[in-house]
Amino acid sequence: MQLDTRAQTLLKALVERYIADGQPVGSRALSKISGLELSPATIRNIMADLEEMGFVSSPHTSAGRIPTPRGYRVFVDTLLTVQSIDELTVEAKMQLRLQLKSPQKIISNAAQILSSLSQFAGVVMTPRHESIFQQIEFLRLSEKRILLVIVAPNGEVQNRLLLTDVDYTPSQLIQAANYINQHYAGLGFDEIRTRLQGELRQLRDDMTRLMQAAVEAGSDAMAEGGEDMVISGERNLLSVTDLASNMTSLRKLFDLFEQKTSLMQLLDVSSKAAGVQIFIGGDSQLLPVDEMSVVTAPYEVNGKIVGTLGVIGPTRMAYERVIPIVDITAKLLSNALSHT
């Protein structure tokens, strides 16, 4: 729904004032801060139209109005002027903390930087581990019980127990291990899975089943052991009145941090889009709390998108400041990880 210039100006002024002080904004205040030479009656009529269209709401009859999720969406998509923060200072501060560290430490530092600069919670989805193996072995433990030993390229060893329908002989297990090591060593289990169907037809069915079981177990084993995401500064949100004043919202928020499923889904969606994305509670089905927003951006390693980072805060956040913080951090993290 298109808004005329006057309505856009008033909505922008209302959202900015509400973000600044958290109080409903009345027509008299809007006439002063909007810069429009309009009578109070005209402003009231425009605000009534904005309320009817769902961009603002009145929490109390006599008080002013506040933005709705739909109003925030129009604001961040079309009306927002991103603040030009001192990028050199911010970059120097962040680069100092991102250099000369292990990838895990760099990611942890990035989450801390996002939190400290925004004063909200910072989150970084870690790069997905490719389930690559260097060598596997099958060890017969007893009838229909086999130990799968997986050696990663870095020398790390994972063990998994396989329960089979067939009692394989030691020579059959050696044959199966040799076949996998010869044809698939250095590949990821996901890639092996797609090639198995066409390449194992010449083997007996029971051997094919053993290899398929090994691939499934190996993929699960190699995917374990690392955090899906790093979150920093959750406690900052306890001091945000909009979130902390509602126990139901606060409980949902920390359930989001604890269970992580919805947050992972949101970050995964973000990784498929270019640039900064803004998710607003009440407007996005991926957020369980209406008073919460998430600003995200994907990051890369050697030109390939491997994860997403962002800031989690209230819908009443200073988007013009948070957006460049997220954008700069994503670029610096990409650069740091590409040179480790």
Side-chain angles (χ1 to χ4, degrees):
M1 191 176 298
Q2 295 295 320
L3 299 177
D4 62 29
T5 303
R6 296 188 308 177
Q8 288 183 6
T9 301
L10 288 174
L11 179 60
K12 183 175 187 289
L14 182 144
V15 175
E16 289 175 342
R17 171 57 67 91
Y18 183 69
I19 286 175
D21 61 24
Q23 299 298 319
V25 186
S27 299
R28 181 174 298 180
L30 282 174
S31 68
K32 295 178 180 179
I33 62 177
S34 66
L36 297 176
E37 296 183 359
L38 299 174
S39 68
T42 301
I43 291 178
R44 282 195 295 270
N45 288 337
I46 296 174
M47 296 309 296
D49 291 339
L50 288 173
E51 185 167 1
E52 185 177 343
M53 289 184 285
F55 296 115
V56 300
S57 65
S58 302
H60 306 289
T61 305
S62 59
R65 292 176 171 85
I66 64 174
T68 63
R70 191 178 187 189
Y72 276 120
R73 173 52 59 190
V74 172
F75 174 74
V76 300
D77 285 350
T78 62
L79 305 176
L80 178 66
T81 302
V82 175
Q83 190 178 89
S84 178
I85 61 176
D86 188 346
E87 292 191 10
L88 292 178
T89 301
V90 174
E91 285 195 28
K93 178 180 178 181
M94 289 194 286
Q95 284 181 333
L96 188 64
R97 296 178 62 182
L98 290 177
Q99 286 178 345
L100 304 177
K101 305 286 185 180
S102 67
Q104 293 79 8
K105 187 63 176 175
I106 290 173
I107 288 170
S108 177
N109 283 357
Q112 293 172 16
I113 288 167
L114 288 166
S115 175
S116 64
L117 292 178
S118 69
Q119 292 301 301
F120 299 129
V123 59
V124 182
M125 182 176 74
T126 57
R128 291 177 176 168
H129 297 285
E130 291 190 64
S131 52
I132 295 174
F133 80 100
Q134 193 62 40
Q135 181 180 347
I136 72 164
E137 291 183 38
F138 294 111
L139 299 178
R140 186 178 184 275
L141 299 178
S142 63
E143 184 178 345
K144 300 181 182 180
R145 292 174 73 247
I146 299 169
L147 182 67
L148 172 64
V149 181
I150 309 155
V151 182
N154 63 2
E156 181 182 347
V157 178
Q158 294 274 359
N159 298 319
R160 281 296 181 274
L161 180 65
L162 301 181
L163 302 178
T164 65
D165 297 328
V166 177
D167 183 12
Y168 294 96
T169 66
S171 62
Q172 288 176 319
L173 297 180
I174 292 173
Q175 178 187 356
N178 287 343
Y179 187 93
I180 293 176
N181 291 331
Q182 181 180 349
H183 290 84
Y184 304 126
L187 300 179
F189 283 107
D190 292 339
E191 183 178 352
I192 298 172
R193 186 185 292 111
T194 61
R195 292 171 56 172
L196 272 176
Q197 296 177 344
E199 295 184 4
L200 295 184
R201 290 173 182 167
Q202 68 270 32
L203 298 179
R204 300 202 317 272
D205 287 342
D206 53 359
M207 296 296 286
T208 300
R209 288 199 302 272
L210 172 63
M211 294 185 187
Q212 289 172 333
V215 168
E216 295 300 327
S219 180
D220 292 341
M222 298 295 280
E224 292 179 2
E227 290 185 280
D228 292 330
M229 69 178 72
V230 177
I231 303 174
S232 177
E234 304 100 305
R235 294 183 64 84
N236 289 342
L237 301 181
L238 293 173
S239 60
V240 177
T241 305
D242 298 27
L243 296 171
S245 61
N246 186 324
M247 286 304 298
T248 301
S249 295
L250 200 60
R251 192 175 296 112
K252 288 181 180 179
L253 178 62
F254 279 87
D255 283 346
L256 182 73
F257 291 139
E258 184 176 343
Q259 298 174 5
K260 297 184 179 180
T261 305
S262 298
L263 194 52
M264 280 297 296
Q265 184 181 0
L266 182 148
L267 294 175
D268 191 51
V269 168
S270 303
S271 69
K272 296 177 174 61
V276 175
Q277 303 290 309
I278 302 171
F279 300 85
I280 298 173
D283 173 66
S284 171
Q285 295 181 345
L286 295 174
L287 293 179
V289 182
D290 288 350
E291 299 83 4
M292 181 178 77
S293 288
V294 182
V295 181
T296 68
Y299 67 92
E300 305 174 347
V301 173
N302 298 321
K304 178 182 178 182
I305 292 176
V306 296
T308 312
L309 56 74
V311 165
I312 302 168
T315 52
R316 194 172 65 84
M317 71 164 69
Y319 295 97
E320 75 280 358
R321 182 172 180 274
V322 173
I323 288 171
I325 287 172
V326 171
D327 187 35
I328 293 170
T329 307
K331 292 173 182 174
L332 288 173
L333 180 59
S334 298
N335 183 65
L337 291 176
S338 295
H339 293 87
T340 54

